[in-house]
Amino acid sequence: MVRTRNGPRSNGMLPLLALHAASEYYRLDRKPPVTAGLIAANSLIYLRPAFLDPILPSLQEVWFNPHLILKHGDLKRFFLSPFYHVGESHLVYNMLSLLWKGIQLENSMDSAEFASMVAVLLGMSQGISLLISKSLLAFFDYEWAYYTEYSVGFSGVLFAMKVVLNSQTENSYVYGIPIPSRYAAWAELALVQFLVPGVSFIGHLGGILAGLIYIQLRGSYNGSDPLTVIIRGLTGVLKWPVRFLRRMFPFRRRQISGRGPIGGGQRGISVSGFWRCHACTYENSAWLDVCEMCSTNRRATGSANGMASPPSAHYSGDLPLEELRRRRMERFGR
């Protein structure tokens, strides 16, 4: 990976990620904004554009290391390390996983609840990883995880999200292999550790345990959790200027109308430049004074503004049923 002053260059995987994400969002009726924001944040931190480079800590300043976090109270390493990645393939693999999991989870709840869940899972997965490393040192004198291991990446949160997502189904797939959902995250943990040497086992384990704890806590809590309420409140404040502008400058969507008989409305009312004949219910252009279907005069139907007088059994231009049917057939058969 070649680094420039503004950040690493892309080897072609990031454009593919952007294209795939755009195509996925295009086909969705509801575009989950939090998932998109998380993908954008991770990608921008990796690319380090010129306007962000002066304010973003370096990778060396945010490595997750339990010893440095506890010794110096370094919360920057605790909270920011999930958003950093060591290479393009590392970033793209995690973001593809986030795209798939995020779309499903955010569309199954509202965005404020999803944002709250991600924040809780991030904090819990990091905290559990820290606790496991410290416990291994205290009870088993295992120093590697506490002093020597440095890790970054969003995969701990993704393992937690996988546990939450799997709790909604009975069966899941791990690399194409069908597995009961309760074991899917554990199977993936073992496979990833075997296939990708050097990944953080404790970080991934912390994510799985965080997901399990979150499910238990969420199941025992009725209503929205406090963090969700706070996020909804902040979102409402941020949306207020938009709502104010909409009230000041109301935008009216163009109404689309067409010809032919329609049901459910009051008979005789015109629709956007059309008038309805009360004799046959056919809607005619406002430019016409005679019904195209049955030749009834428009004045017999109602005034020029489209409001019709109630139909009468002896209106001018009354036609026999067979004649009206014949004219309809001729009209539609043209």
Side-chain angles (χ1 to χ4, degrees), residues 165-188:
L165 185 61
N166 287 342
S167 68
Q168 302 174 1
T169 61
E170 293 184 0
N171 295 296
S172 183
Y173 289 86
V174 177
Y175 295 100
I177 304 172
I179 292 178
S181 293
R182 68 176 66 181
Y183 306 120
W186 299 105
E188 185 171 346

Side-chain angles (χ1 to χ4, degrees), residues 108-267:
S108 68
M109 56 184 76
D110 68 39
S111 294
E113 186 178 358
F114 176 73
S116 169
M117 183 194 74
V118 171
V120 170
L121 291 179
L122 187 150
M124 288 177 61
S125 62
Q126 296 287 87
I128 292 172
S129 298
L130 193 66
L131 182 62
I132 292 174
S133 299
K134 183 65 176 177
S135 299
L136 288 174
L137 176 67
F139 297 110
F140 302 98
D141 200 27
Y142 182 72
E143 299 182 351
W144 175 267
Y146 184 76
Y147 288 108
T148 310
E149 185 171 290
Y150 292 78
S151 60
V152 290
F154 210 73
S155 52
V157 183
L158 292 173
F159 266 93
M161 290 172 64
K162 184 176 184 66
V163 172
V164 176
L165 185 61
N166 287 342
S167 68
Q168 302 174 1
T169 61
E170 293 184 0
N171 295 296
S172 183
Y173 289 86
V174 177
Y175 295 100
I177 304 172
I179 292 178
S181 293
R182 68 176 66 181
Y183 306 120
W186 299 105
E188 185 171 346
L189 173 67
L191 282 173
V192 168
Q193 200 67 30
F194 176 74
L195 297 174
V196 190
V199 298
S200 175
F201 176 80
I202 291 178
H204 294 170
L205 177 61
I208 293 177
L209 296 177
L212 293 172
I213 294 172
Y214 177 84
I215 292 172
Q216 294 300 318
L217 292 176
R218 193 69 186 88
S220 62
Y221 192 88
N222 294 323
S224 298
D225 60 272
L227 184 57
T228 300
V229 174
I230 293 172
I231 293 175
R232 283 178 181 157
L234 292 174
T235 303
V237 171
L238 294 175
K239 286 182 177 180
W240 182 85
V242 177
R243 292 196 297 266
F244 176 76
L245 289 174
R246 284 180 177 175
R247 284 195 292 266
M248 291 292 294
F249 307 100
F251 173 75
R252 300 182 65 182
R253 293 187 177 181
R254 179 185 174 189
Q255 293 184 345
I256 301 175
S257 59
R259 299 183 182 181
I262 57 176
Q266 182 181 348
R267 198 172 171 179

Side-chain angles (χ1 to χ4, degrees), residues 11 38 42 72 218 221 233 243 248 307 323 327:
N11 292 326
L38 288 171
N42 279 272
H72 303 292
R218 193 69 186 88
Y221 192 88
R243 292 196 297 266
M248 291 292 294
M307 294 302 294
E323 178 65 14
R327 292 192 182 192

Side-chain angles (χ1 to χ4, degrees), residues 289-332:
D289 290 326
V290 177
C291 177
E292 289 186 277
M293 178 63 66
C294 65
S295 301
T296 299
N297 192 286
R298 181 179 183 179
R299 288 193 177 90
T301 300
S303 61
N305 63 4
M307 294 302 294
S309 58
S312 171
H314 302 287
Y315 57 85
S316 176
D318 192 3
L319 296 172
L321 181 60
E322 290 300 326
E323 178 65 14
L324 183 59
R325 183 180 294 118
R326 184 186 67 80
R327 292 192 182 192
R328 285 178 183 266
M329 294 298 293
E330 287 180 354
R331 174 66 183 171
F332 295 125

